[in-house]
Amino acid sequence: MKDRRTGVKLTESNKHLLKYAIFNPANNLWWYPFATDPRWMHWAQNTAERHRCQGQRGVYLDNKTSEDANITEDELRLLVEKNDDGLKQLISRMQKFNSNVTGSAAYFYKKRCELEALIDAKGMPTMWFTLSAADNHWVDLHK
């Protein structure tokens, strides 16, 4: 089997699957199997986030300036078995690399810090509102 000439990213393939439709000539309607499936959207989001986390893992492990760059498997097992402050510090250092993974705790912490810095620079807002769509349940958005 030959490789593709051009690479297709996971997000691009998911967008394509959302638009994928099957025509039913009996009732003259199009059926969107992926867009109408109640679980597929959650699966696609979960898979994309896991891929982003895997990518960040590589960045963390390749970071030669990190004190954890040369940690051995035995040292890691010992940290996990002891379950003390050393493990908490390791997890804290690893979390910093997940700040660009949407929805992670590190992502929301980073956004909180950005908001607090904006308030410090500009002052307390006089009006505040957020717009949040239930994007995984909004049928018109997927069409």
Side-chain angles (χ1 to χ4, degrees):
M1 185 173 202
K2 295 175 82 176
D3 290 343
R4 297 180 63 97
R5 288 185 185 172
T6 57
V8 178
K9 295 181 180 177
L10 180 64
T11 53
E12 293 171 351
S13 66
N14 285 343
K15 287 178 186 177
H16 171 77
L17 289 174
L18 271 177
K19 297 175 185 176
Y20 176 76
I22 301 169
F23 183 70
N24 185 351
N27 58 6
N28 206 25
L29 292 175
W30 289 94
W31 176 54
Y32 296 85
F34 295 98
T36 57
D37 187 278
R39 289 180 299 244
W40 183 83
M41 188 72 60
H42 299 289
W43 174 87
Q45 181 180 10
N46 183 320
T47 303
E49 288 178 6
R50 283 189 292 115
H51 279 257
R52 276 189 230 117
C53 286
Q54 289 291 344
Q56 290 306 110
R57 180 195 69 179
V59 170
Y60 180 75
L61 292 175
D62 291 343
N63 185 1
K64 301 303 182 204
T65 59
S66 171
E67 57 192 80
D68 306 318
N70 297 318
I71 193 169
T72 66
E73 184 179 344
D74 293 332
E75 292 171 335
L76 185 58
R77 285 185 191 276
L78 185 62
L79 274 174
V80 172
E81 287 172 6
K82 286 171 42 177
N83 194 18
D84 61 357
D85 287 339
L87 179 62
K88 290 176 185 172
Q89 291 170 357
L90 172 67
I91 291 172
S92 175
R93 289 190 297 270
M94 293 171 78
Q95 284 284 42
K96 292 175 187 171
F97 283 83
N98 280 335
S99 64
N100 68 339
V101 178
T102 306
S104 68
Y107 172 83
F108 284 114
Y109 180 75
K110 178 182 171 186
K111 293 299 178 185
R112 176 183 160 197
C113 290
E114 289 174 5
L115 182 61
E116 288 175 355
L118 181 64
I119 290 172
D120 288 344
K122 302 279 186 178
M124 188 63 85
T126 56
M127 183 173 72
W128 179 271
F129 65 94
T130 61
L131 301 173
S132 177
D135 54 351
N136 289 337
H137 305 285
W138 192 0
V139 176
D140 293 334
L141 181 67
H142 300 295
K143 290 183 180 179

